[in-house]
Amino acid sequence: TTTQITDTSFLDLHLVGRITDSGRFLAWEHLSILTSIFSLSSYDRLAASENTLVSGQVNLPDLGVDFISNPAQPEAVVAFQSAEELVPPNNADTNMEIFTTRLVLPPGPEVFCSAPNLGISIPDRGDPGADAGISNTITIPDLGTIVDVNVSLLIDHSFVNDLEVRLTHDTVTNRRLVNRPRAGAGGPRCSGDDIEATIDDEGAGGDVDIQCNALAPAILSPPSYTPDQSLDVFDGGPSAGDWTINVRDRRNNNQVGTLEQWCVIITAN
């Protein structure tokens, strides 16, 4: 939708417009042809009210765009100027006028990450606490109903075949993302170092459990990889609440590592 903010007049010339980052306030330059006086005005989009801020010559940037006023449903709010008749029958005089328009964008993924450099030690199998592994939780606000979930992992470990990674949220518990990767289907254990990868049901790289690069990281995105157990069980459920990752070392070989960071990537509506 496009709205003309300024009044159409042969004796008034409205110059450059600018919108604030919040998308609420718009300012523009105004020149009265009759009096040759410049002024700067503001417009409150929510209250639909106008105020004159200053008089005298001022200069403003040409364009303002707001993508942040509603993160759950991203929208772009644009302020622009035009001498064309954009909203008939307004602006028939072809003087410069100020307009706003709102573009509703399709919902996109939102990314929620743990703190960086967590450095949570993953105990070797046989060490105290190894059976339970280590866990970390990210609390996510209500974004609506889940359409898609992906998970990114940053794990430092000197033998990735030792690792089992699971995800829990709401009524879905211990969903296995990574299950002791091997060098190909039926291949030898992946003895490579580290995982820096995105887990995605639509992952173009195929099964995460059969990835093993010769150089670290042994499992690296892009591309993304499909999980051991599908993430689509979360689809249709609530986004809000605790999301918990669990990482376990399933082999006693004195190869250890740390969970450094992980993220939940949610598309909701």
Side-chain angles (χ1 to χ4, degrees):
T1 58
T2 301
T3 304
Q4 181 174 325
I5 301 299
T6 53
D7 293 328
T8 296
S9 171
F10 285 100
L11 299 178
D12 291 302
L13 186 62
H14 301 99
L15 306 176
V16 182
R18 173 71 176 176
I19 200 167
T20 58
D21 287 341
S22 69
R24 177 169 178 174
F25 297 100
L26 174 67
W28 66 87
E29 219 176 39
H30 168 255
L31 171 62
S32 171
I33 304 299
L34 184 63
T35 63
S36 299
I37 293 178
F38 278 96
S39 63
L40 175 65
S41 297
S42 74
Y43 183 84
D44 184 336
R45 293 177 51 251
L46 298 185
S49 63
E50 181 182 337
N51 293 290
T52 298
L53 302 180
V54 297
S55 292
Q57 188 167 359
V58 294
N59 294 288
L60 297 170
D62 288 338
L63 184 69
V65 182
D66 164 41
F67 282 105
I68 64 171
S69 59
N70 187 358
Q73 185 179 3
E75 296 177 311
V77 180
V78 183
F80 60 95
Q81 58 182 9
S82 176
E84 300 299 323
E85 189 175 338
L86 297 182
V87 189
N90 295 336
N91 208 35
D93 59 358
T94 71
N95 283 342
M96 194 67 71
E97 307 295 350
I98 304 299
F99 299 84
T100 64
T101 189
R102 179 174 294 275
L103 311 175
V104 179
L105 306 179
E110 298 215 38
V111 181
F112 299 87
C113 294
S114 69
N117 306 312
L118 288 171
I120 303 174
S121 296
I122 305 165
D124 195 35
R125 186 179 176 104
D127 291 346
D131 286 345
I134 57 98
S135 295
N136 187 258
T137 296
I138 297 172
T139 301
I140 293 177
D142 185 7
L143 306 175
T145 301
I146 295 169
V147 175
D148 186 59
V149 175
N150 302 325
V151 176
S152 67
L153 302 172
L154 180 56
I155 301 174
D156 290 347
H157 199 280
S158 54
F159 202 98
V160 298
N161 174 257
D162 290 0
L163 296 177
E164 183 180 278
V165 182
R166 295 175 181 263
L167 180 66
T168 292
H169 170 63
D170 199 42
T171 60
V172 181
T173 59
N174 291 317
R175 197 67 177 170
R176 194 166 55 222
L177 309 182
V178 178
N179 185 25
R180 308 191 63 185
R182 308 183 76 89
R189 297 183 180 96
C190 182
S191 60
D193 298 352
D194 308 337
I195 299 175
E196 297 182 16
T198 299
I199 310 301
D200 180 352
D201 282 338
E202 292 74 44
D207 186 353
V208 69
D209 290 336
I210 59 172
Q211 310 301 320
C212 189
N213 295 326
L215 300 177
I219 304 175
L220 176 67
S221 292
S224 55
Y225 301 103
T226 57
D228 182 64
Q229 294 180 322
S230 175
L231 292 166
D232 64 5
V233 293
F234 295 102
D235 296 353
S239 56
D242 290 345
W243 293 76
T244 301
I245 197 172
N246 177 263
V247 184
R248 303 180 191 184
D249 187 308
R250 309 304 290 165
R251 185 166 179 260
N252 187 359
N253 63 353
N254 296 316
Q255 303 281 355
V256 294
T258 56
L259 172 63
E260 292 300 320
Q261 189 176 40
W262 69 290
C263 304
V264 183
I265 306 163
I266 294 181
T267 301
N269 61 20

